[in-house]
Amino acid sequence: MPVPYTEVEAAVEALREAELDHDYSGLAALAGRLTLPVEDWLAPGERELLRGVDFHSTPAVFLRFLRGKARSSGLRLNGRATAGSVWVRPTLPAAEKQLREMFPEQYPGWVDRWSGHADSGETLYRPWVGGRDQDLSQHAAPVQFRVPQLSLDHECRCGFRGQSGDDGRAHAGHHATWALGVRVPKNLFWPGDLAVVTTQSPIAWRRLVYKVAGLPQRENHYDFRSWSHLGKPEETEDNVRAYLLQSNGHIVGYLAAHDTDHHRPWDLVDESPLGDADDTLRPRVDLIWVADNYRRQGVGAMLVQALADDFGSPVTEVSWSTPISRPGLQLARRLSPDGIWVS
């Protein structure tokens, strides 16, 4: 039973009383003294925690421990380790506050103590111990540059073609986005993995859809993007909407859709004629795009299934816009092997 040296005699006595006299009050008192005051350390306000008084490990190790505790509580620690202490100033990000207010059943007993907190005038001044303002490049030798001869006149699978004129930076940035997905903006609160954006959604979400729609447009050389609703929020008769799937902080899946009542059945056989017209209202897949690193992993099928579930119909009732690309045909055959609706 490891205990601090100052508590050895108390621990021995508490164990003796518990074993011989069945008196556990000593153990309870010892546990109370040894319990870490994490809630006090993460309370609002800035404070200095001293080594040898509040903790005994090295300041860097203790700071990592506190960061983990703060992260599990949804807090931002704003901590800094010095030679003999750790400075902390816990704050509550707006997104974490909104999450706890939206789902109180997941955070029973949670009370916001951080919003609006103001430190008293008696707060100690946090000393400067080095950082971004420190000039660590004084008297350094300059880096030498060369002009590389790059040939970027070929077309890449990401859709980028031609000479960028900036040593390939534009192509590299576009290719990374095409492969990994569009980075989720930090100002958007995204509690789930799949977001459904409509023409009545906030402009930040509609602009994000427009940005994502530029990737399949460039990859497949379409004349127009599959999303153009950047004006005032408005309702559309055909319920235009977009599905955005995020993973690891990036948007990796995109599906544009609307509802229509003009369809014909097709048995998915090459050169086979379409069937008779049908005027049943169905959701239609306008376009599906998946980031390159996430293809052939079921992302497209999941997006089509989400579209069908939202509409309240089987996935075999989803309609597909023509012409359908080869990957689109493979996906359609997997979801509806007996045939699909096209429009």
Side-chain angles (χ1 to χ4, degrees):
M1 181 178 174
V3 296
Y5 179 77
T6 55
E7 299 288 347
V8 169
E9 294 185 1
V12 172
E13 182 63 22
L15 288 172
R16 188 195 66 77
E17 293 178 352
E19 181 178 3
L20 300 180
D21 303 331
H22 301 287
D23 182 3
Y24 305 101
S25 58
L27 285 177
L30 179 64
R33 292 196 302 272
L34 296 180
T35 300
L36 297 178
V38 176
E39 291 190 1
D40 295 338
W41 292 340
L42 299 181
E46 184 168 44
R47 62 185 55 82
E48 181 185 23
L49 305 175
L50 301 176
R51 183 180 186 182
V53 178
D54 300 293
F55 64 96
H56 298 277
S57 60
T58 61
V61 171
F62 182 64
L63 182 58
R64 285 197 298 269
F65 166 76
L66 282 184
R67 288 193 191 280
K69 291 295 184 180
R71 193 178 303 112
S72 63
S73 301
L75 300 175
R76 184 181 293 115
L77 189 63
N78 298 314
R80 172 176 290 176
T82 64
S85 65
V86 168
W87 288 82
V88 296
R89 185 176 65 253
T91 59
L92 179 66
E96 294 290 345
K97 177 181 179 181
Q98 185 178 0
L99 184 66
R100 283 155 175 73
E101 291 176 346
M102 289 176 58
F103 306 103
E105 67 280 358
Q106 300 181 14
Y107 306 94
W110 178 80
V111 177
D112 182 9
R113 299 181 293 162
W114 297 269
S115 300
H117 173 80
D119 290 324
S120 64
E122 301 177 356
T123 304
L124 296 176
Y125 175 74
R126 181 188 294 206
W128 182 82
V129 293
R132 296 179 182 176
D133 297 333
Q134 188 174 5
D135 185 7
L136 299 179
S137 296
Q138 189 175 8
H139 306 304
V143 175
Q144 298 186 12
F145 295 91
R146 301 289 184 269
V147 179
Q149 299 297 324
L150 297 180
S151 176
L152 297 178
D153 294 329
H154 67 283
E155 180 180 346
C156 180
R157 289 193 305 126
C158 69
F160 192 97
R161 58 183 176 183
Q163 184 71 29
S164 64
D166 59 357
D167 297 338
R169 289 192 296 271
H171 180 201
H174 176 78
H175 194 99
T177 302
W178 168 79
L180 302 176
V182 176
R183 187 180 296 275
V184 175
K186 295 182 179 180
N187 62 331
L188 289 182
F189 176 58
W190 201 317
D193 293 332
L194 185 64
V196 183
V197 183
T198 69
T199 57
Q200 303 179 71
S201 299
I203 186 58
W205 284 97
R206 289 183 281 128
R207 285 175 177 166
L208 179 60
V209 175
Y210 182 79
K211 182 177 181 180
V212 176
L215 294 172
Q217 179 197 18
R218 190 161 198 172
E219 178 180 355
N220 299 287
H221 309 302
Y222 297 141
D223 293 332
F224 305 99
R225 301 196 187 196
S226 52
W227 182 271
S228 59
H229 302 276
L230 299 178
K232 295 182 179 180
E234 59 180 359
E235 184 178 1
T236 57
E237 295 182 357
D238 51 358
N239 190 20
V240 175
R241 56 202 181 276
Y243 292 76
L244 298 179
L245 176 69
Q246 70 95 11
S247 176
N248 297 322
H250 291 76
I251 299 169
V252 302
Y254 163 60
L255 185 149
H258 74 276
D259 300 336
T260 181
D261 56 3
H262 301 288
H263 316 276
R264 289 180 180 272
W266 183 37
D267 57 10
L268 289 171
V269 178
D270 292 340
E271 306 300 332
S272 176
L274 301 180
D276 297 333
D278 185 276
D279 59 358
T280 303
L281 186 67
R282 294 183 177 90
R284 188 181 91 159
V285 175
D286 295 329
L287 184 141
I288 297 179
W289 177 84
V290 178
D292 184 64
N293 285 8
Y294 293 84
R295 294 177 183 178
R296 293 171 294 279
Q297 299 183 36
V299 174
M302 187 276 295
L303 290 171
V304 178
Q305 185 65 58
L307 174 65
D309 293 342
D310 281 354
F311 191 81
S313 66
V315 72
T316 54
E317 287 294 303
V318 171
S319 185
W320 300 72
S321 62
T322 56
I324 307 177
S325 65
R326 180 174 299 179
L329 284 176
Q330 295 174 352
L331 175 60
R333 287 192 177 97
R334 188 163 74 251
L335 294 175
S336 184
D338 296 331
I340 60 173
W341 295 96
V342 297
S343 54

